[in-house]
C-alpha cells in the first residue's frame, strides 16, 4: 500500500470523527461561512505579485520533519509581504503536522487567498474549508473519481470557493477536466513514490486548456525555474519545503523573490 492509500484511509476515519463532533449546521453558522472568498485569479495575475503560492508545511511523508518551530501567523505574514500571490496551509495533522488552528491563524492576519491544503474525499471537508476561512480547495485527481471531481467542484464553486485540481500525468488530466475548476496544478512530485521531476510541468503544460490557471507544484527551489515555467505559460508556483526548511522562511522567500 502506498502512502496516498494510507492517507486516504486515515482521512476517511478523520472525517467520520469530525462529523460526529461538528454538524453541518454548526459549520454553516460559523462567521467565515458568510465571508466572501477572495478570487484566486485576481491575485495570481496581479503583476505586483509573484505568482508564488507559499506553503506552510511542518512535515511531510517524503521529508519527515521540515520545521518544528515556525509560527504560522509570522511566516504567512512574511510570505504575503514578500509578494506571495496566495498561501497554502496544510490542515492534515497525521502526515503533515498541520491543524485547523493554522488555517484560522493564517486567515486572521492575511488578505490574500488561502488554499486549504488537504486530501479532500468528502463534501463535508469543503464546508469545513469555507467555515475555516479558506478561499481555495484542492482536489487531487489520483484519489477521486471524475464524478467526485464534478460534484466537489460544483459544491465548492456554489460556496464561492476556487478549485485547484492537481494532476500528475496526462491520464489524470484528461479524465478529470470539467467546467467546475478554476486552476489546474501539475504536481512535479509523484505522490506514490515521492520522486520529483520538474519536467512533468513542461510535459503537461500544453494539454491544460487555456481557460484554467496553470500551476506548477512541488520541488521548485530556484528562481530560474520559475522564469522557465512562466515562459511556457504557468501562472502559479506552489513552493513549500524550499522556504520551510530554513530557520527563517520569511527571509528565505524575500531573498528568493529578489532574484526573480
Ligand atoms: O510532500 C510530500 O511528501 C507529499 C507526500 C504525499 C502527498 C503529498 C505530498 N506533498 C504535497 C505537496 O504537493 C507539496 O506539499 C507542495 O506541492 C509543495 O511542494 P514542495 O515545494 O516540494 O514542498
Amino acid at each position: 500500500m502506498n502512502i496516498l492509500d494510507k492517507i486516504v484511509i486515515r482521512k476517511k476515519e478523520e472525517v467520520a470523527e469530525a462529523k460526529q463532533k461538528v454538524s453541518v449546521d454548526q459549520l454553516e453558522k460559523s462567521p467565515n461561512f458568510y465571508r466572501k472568498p477572495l478570487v484566486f485569479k485576481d491575485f495570481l495575475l496581479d503583476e505586483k505579485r509573484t505568482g508564488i503560492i507559499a506553503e506552510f508545511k511542518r512535515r511531510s511523508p517524503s521529508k519527515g520533519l521540515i520545521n518544528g518551530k515556525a509560527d504560522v501567523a509570522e511566516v504567512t505574514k512574511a510570505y504575503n509581504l514578500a509578494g506571495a500571490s496566495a498561501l497554502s496551509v496544510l490542515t492534515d495533522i497525521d502526515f503533515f503536522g498541520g491543524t485547523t488552528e493554522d488555517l484560522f491563524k493564517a486567515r486572521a492576519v492575511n488578505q490574500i487567498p488561502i488554499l486549504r491544503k488537504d486530501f479532500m474525499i468528502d463534501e463535508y471537508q469543503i464546508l469545513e474549508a469555507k467555515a475555516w476561512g479558506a478561499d481555495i480547495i484542492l482536489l487531487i485527481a489520483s484519489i477521486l473519481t471524475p464524478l467526485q471531481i464534478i460534484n466537489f467542484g460544483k459544491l465548492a464553486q456554489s460556496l464561492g470557493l476556487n478549485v485547484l485540481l492537481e494532476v500528475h500525468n496526462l491520464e489524470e488530466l484528461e479524465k478529470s477536466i470539467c467546467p467546475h475548476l478554476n486552476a489546474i496544478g501539475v504536481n512535479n512530485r509523484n505522490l506514490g513514490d515521492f520522486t520529483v521531476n520538474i519536467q512533468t510541468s513542461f510535459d503537461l503544460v500544453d494539454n491544460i486548456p487555456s481557460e484554467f490557471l496553470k500551476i506548477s507544484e512541488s520541488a521548485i527551489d530556484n528562481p530560474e525555474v520559475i522564469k522557465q515555467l512562466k515562459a511556457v505559460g504557468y501562472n502559479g508556483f506552489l513552493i513549500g519545503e524550499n522556504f520551510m526548511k530554513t530557520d527563517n522562511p520569511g527571509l528565505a522567500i524575500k531573498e528568493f523573490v529578489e532574484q526573480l
Side-chain angles (χ1 to χ4, degrees), residues 31-151:
N32 277 321
F33 217 86
Y34 302 98
R35 173 185 162 270
K36 192 173 183 314
L38 299 169
V39 179
F40 196 16
K41 187 176 178 182
D42 292 348
F43 289 79
L44 213 54
L45 302 185
D46 178 353
E47 288 190 350
K48 295 191 289 301
R49 294 200 169 260
T50 55
I52 294 174
I53 303 151
E55 184 159 286
F56 187 85
K57 152 163 106 165
R58 291 195 181 85
R59 56 182 301 116
S60 73
S62 60
K63 295 292 158 65
L65 184 65
I66 298 169
N67 192 325
K69 290 185 294 194
D71 176 82
V72 66
E74 205 177 293
V75 169
T76 55
K77 269 198 292 184
Y79 281 167
N80 185 348
L81 197 67
S85 297
L87 302 167
S88 166
V89 178
L90 264 306
T91 55
D92 174 85
I93 186 157
D94 289 353
F95 297 88
F96 292 85
T99 64
T100 309
E101 203 51 38
D102 285 342
L103 185 42
F104 276 115
K105 285 183 181 165
R107 174 75 291 148
V109 294
N110 291 287
Q111 276 309 315
I112 57 174
I114 302 182
L115 166 68
R116 178 191 178 186
K117 190 85 190 307
D118 211 316
F119 298 81
M120 310 302 263
I121 45 127
D122 191 301
E123 294 188 348
Y124 177 86
Q125 295 167 289
I126 299 170
L127 303 177
E128 281 182 336
K130 174 88 182 185
W132 298 349
D135 306 284
I136 312 165
I137 60 145
L138 179 72
L139 299 180
I140 301 177
S142 62
I143 61 171
L144 298 171
T145 64
L147 185 61
Q148 281 177 312
I149 292 170
I150 291 171
N151 289 339

